[in-house]
Amino acid sequence: FGSSRFGLRRSGSCAPRGIGWWLEMMRSVCQQVTVRGCRLAASGSVLPSRQAEVLTPETAARCFFARRFADTVADDGRRRCLWRWGATSAGMMSQQEVTESSKDPILMEDFRGVTTAACGSSHSAFVVDGQLYTYGSNKYHQLGRSVEETGKSAPEGAGPAPVTFETVDGHRPKVLQVALGAFHSAAITEGGVLWTWGWGGSFWYGSGALGQGDRVNCEVPTVVRLFADEGEQIRQVVCGSQHTLVLTTDGRVYATGKGDFGRLGRGDTRDAPEFEEIEYFFQSNDSVLSPTEPASIVKLGAGNNFSAAMSQQGELWVWGRNDYGQLGLGEEAMGDMYSAERYPRLVRSLPLEGHRVVDFDCGEHHLVALTAAGAIYEWGNR
């Protein structure tokens, strides 16, 4: 993380720990961590459980995880640099796609000024000065670019290389945000334009999560016409294993992809090859902190097969599969491996205790939330 001055505060005591301990803990539980808004991983609880308060180090910035692969963006005092470690793991439709790169963080020497990064199940991406770079497996065209034959056969997958975003008039916009799923990728460019690429779906495995209205693979970044034609700008995009959620600048939430376990939040389990709006937040008002106001969604999250949304008022809604207790709704909502919520459902235990959520993130089967008081709560897979 660029600094060994990292500690956790438990039960009122402060115990700074070395970076080796921190990395080992992250490997063992496949967790997600962010500092300056820190995200930890899961203990196996089915209700929100307070774990620790984080002492913010001066130089660590952000860490991104997907299964056993990680990227860390760190500030070296001049321009932010990128570290990588870990490995990919087997996907739904394949065995392990690329081998382990490293058990220890390796500095990517050729890149400085990294503004954001993301990890999928078998590929990763980062942005430098508005240019997107991808690397890893390209089995499902998730890198968004052509890969030489040598790159395909390399045990670590293709190395980092730029991805081209080009409009019909030849303009190449800067990339502002990127999100990766298991077999697909998505990005937002200047002007709030959404692009997706990768696997489009199949008869046997259901819809892909590109939102292009069909099951055709996209080998390069392709504009999602549904939003572009309506002039609707996208503020945020997040990807689950096989679904994608977007938040528009006017606060509307849309979902596309595989619909089993209700992960699309529309009350059913059908697939959606095109983005469809989740109307729950406009039709229902189950807020505890602001019962007289409609929920104003400001952030989305997506796990493997569940989803989440945070309101400006500081409350969290979850939906989708709940086999690991990743929804945080308690044991009564977790009957068996098929337990799921098809509509967004408020995590009531936090606001009922007076806690206001200011940030959160989803892992593969767990969720972590940060409250306004600086406490971190986590639940889901151990």
Side-chain angles (χ1 to χ4, degrees):
F1 274 86
S3 172
S4 61
R5 289 178 294 169
F6 191 92
L8 295 179
R9 190 187 303 274
R10 292 179 182 271
S11 302
S13 63
C14 177
R17 312 296 287 272
I19 189 67
W21 168 84
W22 180 244
L23 293 176
E24 188 61 32
M25 184 179 73
M26 290 190 295
R27 283 196 201 99
S28 66
V29 296
C30 186
Q31 57 194 2
Q32 294 203 16
V33 181
T34 297
V35 182
R36 297 196 198 121
C38 182
R39 302 180 184 122
L40 293 178
S43 69
S45 59
V46 296
L47 279 171
S49 173
R50 178 170 176 167
Q51 294 300 307
E53 295 179 10
V54 178
L55 305 180
T56 306
E58 297 175 357
T59 57
R62 194 176 181 99
C63 186
F64 305 83
F65 285 81
R67 297 184 180 175
R68 294 184 294 122
F69 191 88
D71 279 347
T72 298
V73 178
D75 192 339
D76 64 359
R78 299 167 301 227
R79 306 192 70 195
R80 297 172 77 188
C81 52
L82 190 70
W83 300 71
R84 64 176 290 192
W85 70 91
T88 60
S89 55
M92 175 185 67
M93 295 175 284
S94 68
Q95 299 300 312
Q96 183 170 339
E97 293 169 15
V98 296
T99 59
E100 184 170 359
S101 172
S102 173
K103 294 182 179 180
D104 299 307
I106 297 176
L107 176 65
M108 300 177 70
E109 297 279 0
D110 297 332
F111 302 97
R112 292 292 188 275
V114 177
T115 55
T116 188
C119 288
S121 295
S122 58
H123 67 303
S124 290
F126 59 93
V127 177
V128 177
D129 296 329
Q131 173 65 62
L132 178 69
Y133 295 82
T134 58
Y135 60 97
S137 172
N138 196 41
K139 184 174 182 178
Y140 305 101
H141 311 292
Q142 62 264 53
L143 297 187
R145 56 183 173 84
S146 61
V147 175
E148 297 296 331
E149 188 63 31
T150 55
K152 289 182 180 178
S153 59
E156 297 176 7
V163 178
T164 300
F165 291 76
E166 187 170 354
T167 60
V168 292
D169 60 0
H171 175 60
R172 294 191 175 185
K174 290 186 176 182
V175 176
L176 304 179
Q177 186 187 144
V178 60
L180 308 181
F183 320 111
H184 73 290
S185 307
I188 301 173
T189 59
E190 295 172 307
V193 179
L194 178 67
W195 307 64
T196 59
W197 62 96
W199 183 70
S202 71
F203 174 80
W204 296 107
Y205 295 105
S207 175
L210 305 184
Q212 300 287 352
D214 52 36
R215 292 184 177 180
V216 178
N217 296 341
C218 291
E219 298 185 10
V220 297
T222 305
V223 173
V224 178
R225 302 308 318 175
L226 174 68
F227 300 114
D229 293 344
E230 296 295 328
E232 196 156 17
Q233 296 186 17
I234 305 303
R235 179 194 304 176
Q236 184 195 7
V237 58
V238 295
C239 296
S241 176
Q242 204 173 325
H243 71 295
T244 301
L245 301 173
V246 297
L247 176 65
T248 67
T249 53
D250 61 1
R252 294 183 176 274
V253 180
Y254 292 82
T256 186
K258 192 172 180 64
D260 61 346
F261 301 105
R263 72 182 80 178
L264 302 185
R266 300 187 320 271
D268 55 35
T269 59
R270 62 182 175 84
D271 291 357
E274 192 171 47
F275 281 95
E276 297 182 15
E277 185 173 4
I278 300 177
E279 299 178 341
Y280 178 89
F281 300 106
F282 291 99
Q283 297 177 346
S284 302
N285 182 19
D286 50 358
S287 171
V288 172
L289 298 180
S290 303
T292 62
E293 302 176 11
S296 176
I297 302 302
V298 295
K299 183 176 181 179
L300 301 175
N304 185 4
N305 43 30
F306 73 102
S307 309
M310 183 183 75
S311 71
Q312 186 175 21
Q313 295 89 340
E315 293 175 299
L316 196 63
W317 281 263
V318 292
W319 61 96
R321 196 169 189 179
N322 195 35
D323 53 333
Y324 289 99
Q326 59 265 53
L327 300 188
L329 299 174
E331 293 184 359
E332 74 281 358
M334 185 182 169
D336 53 36
M337 63 179 294
Y338 300 106
S339 297
E341 297 291 335
R342 299 183 181 184
Y343 284 107
R345 184 172 169 185
L346 178 66
V347 181
R348 296 178 61 86
S349 58
L350 291 176
L352 285 174
E353 295 178 2
H355 298 296
R356 185 171 67 86
V357 178
V358 295
D359 199 7
F360 81 97
D361 207 356
C362 300
E364 189 173 18
H365 301 296
H366 69 279
L367 191 150
V368 183
L370 175 68
T371 70
I376 295 175
Y377 288 79
E378 49 80 31
W379 54 91
N381 187 28
R382 188 175 297 277

